[in-house]
Amino acid sequence: MKKEDFYYELPEELIAQHPLKNREKSRLMVLDRETGEIKDRHFEDILEYLNPGDCMVLNDTRVIPARLFGSREGKKESIEFLLLKRIEDDKWETLVRPGKKARPGHKIVFGEGKLQGEILSIEKDGTRIIDFNYKGIFEEILDELGEMPLPPYIQEKLEDKERYQTVYSKNEGSAAAPTAGLHFTKELLGEIENRRVNIVYITLHVGLGTFRPVKVENIEEHHMHEEYFEVSKEAANIINRTKKKGGKVIAVGTTSTRTLESIANDDGKIVEGKGWTDIFIYPGYRFKVVDSLITNFHLPESTLIMLVSALAGRENILKAYNRAVKKKYRFFSFGDAMLII
C-alpha cells in the first residue's frame, strides 16, 4: 500500500489549538466498521456504547517535561532536545534540532549548568544518545528546566500543563500524551464503572514510534521506533476473562491498541509482561484482542490513520474523515474523538 492512500485534505483552521474547557464535552463520531454507518454524538454519550461485562483499556503513562534547550559549552545558541526514552541510568535517546550542533563528544549545558550532557553517538535514524550529568534528583531538575513537549502543529501556549495529561496519568515516561484519553473525567470514569464495565490500566510510554512521519512511499517499508510497555497480571486476567465471557475489549487510543496486540498470543490471550514494541499495524492486519477503539482524528499519511484504517477499513475511515472536515470537527491532540465499534 502507498502512503498517499491515506491522504485527506485538512483545512488548517480545524487543527485544535487548545483543549475544551470541559473534557467530556468534545464531539464524538461513532463509526460502525461493519456497516460503515456514521453518527455524530458527544463524548459523554460514550456510555450508550458500553455494556456490563465489557472491558475498557486505558494507557496510564504520564508525559514528562521532555523538551530541553541547551547549548554547547562556551557558545551562545539554542539547541532543542526532545527526550524520547531512557536507555539506562542517565543515558537517553533524544531528537535534536539542529542536529549538526550535537555531534559525538560535544558537551551540552542546560540551565546555566544545572544539567550537563555529553553526546555519545548518532544512531542510524538520526537520534542522539546523550549521557546526563547533574547533582540532585534528575526528575526534579527536568521539572524545573524542561517544557511540555506539545506537538509542532499546536502554536498557542498551554495555560494548564495538566490539560496535556489524562486524569488517570500515573507512570512518568512519555514524550507525548495518549490523546484519546484526554476526553475522560474522573466523574465519567466513575459512571462507566457503575455500569459494571471493567476499567483496566496498562502502560506504553509514547515515543518516536507513535508520531514519527512515514517517509517511504511503500508503507510496508516503514520501520516503527521501539516504545516501552508494561501489562500487569491483574490487567491480563481481566481482559482474558472479558473475552472468554463474550464481552468487548474497548481500547482507548492507538497506544493501548498497539500494546494489547503486541503482547497477545495467536489465540488472542493476553499475558503479563513488559518490554519494547515496534509493532506497525496497517490494513491487512488481523486484530487478536481489540474489538472497539476510542481515538482522536489523526494526521494524513501517519501510522495512526493507518492503524485505524486496519480496524475500520480505509474507505470507511476516509469517508468519516471527510465528513469530519465538512462538519468542522476539531482535529489532532486537543481535538474531537471517534469511536469505532
Side-chain angles (χ1 to χ4, degrees):
M1 300 192 79
K2 301 296 183 184
K3 180 174 71 170
E4 64 189 26
D5 294 336
F6 301 90
Y7 180 78
Y8 67 93
E9 290 282 351
L10 178 68
E12 190 174 340
E13 63 267 20
L14 295 185
I15 300 174
Q17 293 297 311
H18 54 82
L20 295 179
K21 183 178 179 181
N22 297 316
R23 292 177 184 258
E24 77 281 9
K25 296 297 182 182
S26 61
R27 296 167 75 184
L28 176 70
M29 178 178 285
V30 181
L31 169 62
D32 188 316
R33 61 193 175 106
E34 297 296 332
T35 66
E37 182 184 10
I38 298 172
K39 294 181 179 179
D40 300 301
R41 308 296 300 272
H42 286 89
F43 195 79
E44 54 197 348
D45 300 329
I46 199 85
L47 293 165
E48 297 178 24
Y49 298 92
L50 304 175
N51 297 309
D54 286 347
C55 179
M56 179 176 285
V57 183
L58 303 105
N59 181 6
D60 65 4
T61 189
R62 185 167 176 82
V63 185
I64 60 174
R67 180 169 279 125
L68 287 166
F69 292 89
S71 63
R72 289 171 292 179
E73 282 184 322
K75 295 185 179 292
K76 291 186 178 180
E77 60 190 4
S78 180
I79 309 173
E80 179 183 349
F81 288 76
L82 178 64
L83 307 187
L84 294 175
K85 65 181 181 184
R86 189 193 293 267
I87 304 298
E88 60 176 352
D89 300 327
D90 293 313
K91 295 182 179 69
W92 284 77
E93 183 177 10
T94 64
L95 271 181
V96 183
R97 291 190 302 181
K100 64 183 179 180
K101 295 183 178 180
R103 300 289 183 185
H106 283 170
K107 301 290 199 309
I108 311 295
V109 178
F110 305 90
E112 299 180 346
K114 286 186 178 180
L115 181 65
Q116 300 177 12
E118 179 181 353
I119 306 298
L120 299 181
S121 64
I122 301 176
E123 302 300 285
K124 288 182 180 179
D125 58 6
T127 58
R128 269 67 172 167
I129 305 299
I130 185 170
D131 189 11
F132 287 114
N133 180 36
Y134 53 91
K135 291 182 179 179
I137 300 172
F138 180 76
E139 287 74 17
E140 292 181 358
I141 296 171
L142 187 62
D143 195 49
E144 179 184 349
L145 302 180
E147 296 181 5
M148 194 62 72
L150 293 178
Y153 49 75
I154 295 178
Q155 306 295 324
E156 296 183 15
K157 185 177 179 181
L158 182 63
E159 297 298 329
D160 180 4
K161 289 182 179 180
E162 283 301 308
R163 290 310 307 273
Y164 194 57
Q165 305 277 15
T166 63
V167 297
Y168 48 82
S169 63
K170 179 181 177 183
N171 295 312
E172 293 191 338
S174 275
T179 54
L182 296 179
H183 305 281
F184 288 92
T185 62
K186 291 181 178 179
E187 292 75 19
L188 182 56
L189 289 171
E191 289 185 57
I192 292 171
E193 285 188 313
N194 288 339
R195 292 196 172 216
R196 291 184 288 119
V197 174
N198 293 304
I199 294 180
V200 165
Y201 297 95
I202 60 177
T203 303
L204 180 134
H205 292 320
V206 185
L208 196 56
T210 295
F211 57 83
R212 182 162 224 172
V214 177
K215 295 181 179 179
V216 292
E217 282 307 309
N218 180 2
I219 67 169
E220 294 176 28
E221 297 174 3
H222 176 73
H223 178 67
M224 295 286 284
H225 206 74
E226 285 187 331
E227 295 167 309
Y228 180 78
F229 70 85
E230 292 185 5
V231 176
S232 68
K233 184 176 181 178
E234 179 186 11
N237 288 341
I238 294 172
I239 295 167
N240 290 332
R241 283 201 303 269
T242 299
K243 298 291 284 187
K244 189 175 181 179
K245 293 181 178 180
K248 296 194 304 291
V249 172
I250 303 107
V252 177
T254 57
T255 59
S256 296
T257 300
R258 292 179 62 236
T259 303
L260 292 173
E261 295 296 320
S262 294
I263 205 165
N265 62 26
D266 291 338
D267 296 327
K269 186 176 181 181
I270 297 291
V271 293
E272 67 173 309
K274 50 186 165 182
W276 300 87
T277 179
D278 61 358
I279 189 173
F280 178 24
I281 297 175
Y282 55 90
Y285 178 84
R286 293 187 64 182
F287 285 82
K288 296 176 284 189
V289 182
V290 173
D291 299 302
S292 299
L293 171 63
I294 298 168
T295 187
N296 279 20
F297 290 91
H298 304 294
L299 277 73
E301 301 182 336
S302 65
T303 61
L304 306 181
I305 194 172
M306 294 170 190
L307 184 152
V308 297
S309 295
L311 183 64
R314 187 181 70 89
E315 291 184 1
N316 283 340
I317 287 295
L318 291 178
K319 175 185 173 185
Y321 273 53
N322 288 326
R323 177 189 177 103
V325 169
K326 185 176 181 181
K327 289 184 170 286
K328 298 190 183 304
Y329 274 69
R330 301 165 78 247
F331 278 69
F332 305 162
S333 296
F334 289 141
D336 294 316
M338 171 184 280
L339 169 63
I340 299 172
I341 59 174

